[in-house]
Amino acid sequence: MALVSRLQSLSSTLSSTHFRKPSSFNPQPICSLHFNSSPSYTSPFTEKHSIERYQRDQWLYSNQLNRTLPPPPDSDADSDFARQNDIALQLPELRKLVEVLREKREKREREGGCGGGKCGPGNVFLVGTGPGDSELLTLKAVRIIQSADLLLYDRLVSNDVLDFVASDARLVYVGKTAGYHSRTQEEIHELLLSFAEAGATVVRLKGGDPLVFGRGGEEMDFLQQQGIQVQVIPGITAASGIAAELGIPLTHRGVANSVRFLTGHSRKGGTDPLFVAENAADPDSTLVVYMGLSTLPSLAQKLVHHGLPPTTPAVAVERGTTPQQRMVFAELKDLANEITSAELISPTLIVIGKVVALSPLWPHTSNEVSSLVGAI
């Protein structure tokens, strides 16, 4: 077992850990058609260089006496340097954590806590935390989160969800955002494997559902090939949670007979979406686009070109189900411009389809809704 050597061989392996913080949740009205175009409030999620993130990481810098926390990079060009430097500073404390976990398992073996033999590796749980509202967690997810020794969490796991973590557990930030990956996917794989081999109960926290655009399948496949048992705890995916918050039925008899989840990510970071728009331009379906802010202008043009009416109702929802939720309702032809005017930022979910007009928040005339449901 080469846990420490694996940590040493990875120039970018392990990241931030923190202890539980008191909850600061302050309920506010969520649904509103009126909002500030330039948000100044704190994100409900773990932003890549937020003060909260660095506060959680303080224990990792305990080997650097009188050292201040690293400042956020001034530009994208500094991000890679900051990432490598940050990891180098954290590795001593992370190696200590691996040793503590290993010694804990060896002690259990000496005391006969593993049936008189050697203790096997720990379990890994892939846990979906939903779109942001901590009350949308399943009971099973809460139980697993509270029992974990170590948790690796994404950027889109809300701060309120992290308040369920036990006070003696450790958290490791492995968040990704456009232009900045605190850990590559391969490094996340090695993290999960290293801690599981050390005997820890490891929880991988993912926003939404682990198996819906969460790369949970890749992590599960990798770990199972290494002999690590993996259990998936589903979460409410953003499409379901946010649509319910806005009163949008993803399917509705006589209006939408199917729903399709799409990724807006382009293959090489460009402006074209991955999927073939002509296959998605179905007026009797609901389209839900994840991570689609940058590719929406191209997608909208292609959908209209392939026959979807430009007047199709649509909505873009930033930070859905959280107190900081903002939204823009518009017809498909106008949606990209409205998003730009409102300055929506990631994470933003986009719903396109006639069912959007069934929302009580749809700002257009009731005649439009009546024409959609009149044939039911």
Side-chain angles (χ1 to χ4, degrees):
M1 183 167 58
L3 294 176
V4 175
S5 62
R6 181 181 293 118
L7 293 179
Q8 292 170 334
S9 66
L10 289 172
S11 64
S12 311
T13 301
L14 296 168
S15 177
S16 20
T17 304
H18 94 285
F19 293 97
R20 180 181 172 187
K21 290 170 51 183
S23 175
S24 58
F25 182 63
N26 182 22
Q28 300 176 21
I30 291 179
C31 293
S32 174
L33 294 177
H34 306 284
F35 45 77
N36 296 324
S37 62
S38 180
S40 59
Y41 38 73
T42 302
S43 172
F45 304 109
T46 302
E47 300 298 338
K48 59 182 179 179
H49 296 302
S50 65
I51 294 175
E52 291 83 3
R53 177 190 165 192
Y54 285 119
Q55 287 175 337
R56 291 169 183 161
D57 294 353
Q58 285 189 33
W59 77 276
L60 285 171
Y61 304 101
S62 62
N63 61 312
Q64 303 287 321
L65 295 178
N66 301 319
R67 184 184 182 279
T68 58
L69 292 176
D74 293 329
S75 67
D76 291 340
D78 297 331
S79 292
D80 187 61
F81 173 79
R83 175 182 181 273
Q84 298 291 341
N85 185 55
D86 210 22
I87 294 169
L89 291 169
Q90 295 170 4
L91 278 175
E93 296 304 318
L94 292 166
R95 293 192 188 103
K96 290 180 184 178
L97 177 58
V98 172
E99 290 299 329
V100 168
L101 293 170
R102 177 189 287 176
E103 291 171 3
K104 181 179 178 181
R105 186 175 68 168
E106 292 174 348
K107 181 180 179 180
R108 286 183 60 205
E109 291 175 348
R110 291 193 300 269
E111 295 175 350
C114 300
K118 288 189 173 296
C119 296
N123 293 328
V124 174
F125 297 87
L126 305 183
V127 178
T129 64
D133 182 354
S134 61
E135 292 186 344
L136 293 179
L137 282 171
T138 66
L139 292 175
K140 189 170 187 178
V142 172
R143 177 173 61 81
I144 296 298
I145 289 171
Q146 291 175 336
S147 66
D149 298 314
L150 186 83
L151 303 96
L152 280 65
Y153 68 104
D154 281 344
R155 172 198 167 218
L156 296 184
V157 175
S158 72
N159 294 313
D160 291 321
V161 168
L162 297 178
D163 288 327
F164 288 106
V165 175
S167 59
D168 59 346
R170 299 292 181 93
L171 284 106
V172 179
Y173 177 70
V174 293
K176 300 176 183 177
T177 188
Y180 183 86
H181 290 188
S182 67
R183 298 294 175 266
T184 66
Q185 191 61 45
E186 291 72 21
E187 290 163 358
I188 293 172
H189 289 171
E190 292 294 344
L191 267 170
L192 293 168
L193 178 60
S194 294
F195 287 120
E197 284 183 339
T201 298
V202 185
V203 167
R204 175 77 167 98
L205 291 179
K206 292 176 174 288
D209 183 272
L211 304 183
V212 179
F213 300 127
R215 303 189 74 169
E218 298 175 35
E219 294 168 2
M220 180 168 55
D221 180 61
F222 171 80
L223 291 168
Q224 289 175 339
Q225 289 186 32
Q226 308 302 318
I228 304 298
Q229 183 177 351
V230 181
Q231 296 185 45
V232 179
I233 313 301
I236 294 178
T237 190
S240 297
I242 293 173
E245 188 69 47
L246 273 59
I248 298 174
L250 292 176
T251 62
H252 191 90
R253 188 174 58 163
V255 179
N257 55 27
S258 64
V259 59
R260 183 172 181 176
F261 297 168
L262 309 172
T263 174
H265 270 184
S266 57
R267 194 176 302 275
K268 296 182 179 180
T271 58
D272 285 329
L274 280 174
F275 46 85
V276 180
E278 56 265 33
N279 294 333
D282 179 3
D284 295 322
S285 291
T286 303
L287 303 180
V288 183
V289 185
Y290 292 69
M291 303 167 288
L293 279 179
S294 63
T295 57
L296 177 63
S298 173
L299 170 63
Q301 290 179 2
K302 290 181 178 180
L303 290 173
V304 171
H305 175 73
H306 291 292
L308 196 64
T311 57
T312 300
V315 62
V317 189
E318 173 195 309
R319 301 192 253 206
T321 77
T322 74
Q324 294 83 2
Q325 175 174 293
R326 301 193 303 148
M327 69 199 78
V328 169
F329 284 89
E331 294 178 340
L332 178 60
K333 61 182 173 60
D334 301 321
L335 185 61
N337 288 335
E338 293 294 334
I339 288 174
T340 300
S341 297
E343 299 180 2
L344 297 191
I345 62 174
S346 175
T348 291
L349 187 82
I350 299 165
V351 184
I352 303 169
K354 293 182 288 187
V355 292
V356 174
L358 299 177
S359 169
L361 299 172
W362 177 248
H364 296 281
T365 65
S366 59
N367 291 335
E368 189 169 357
V369 178
S370 298
S371 66
L372 291 175
V373 299
I376 298 177

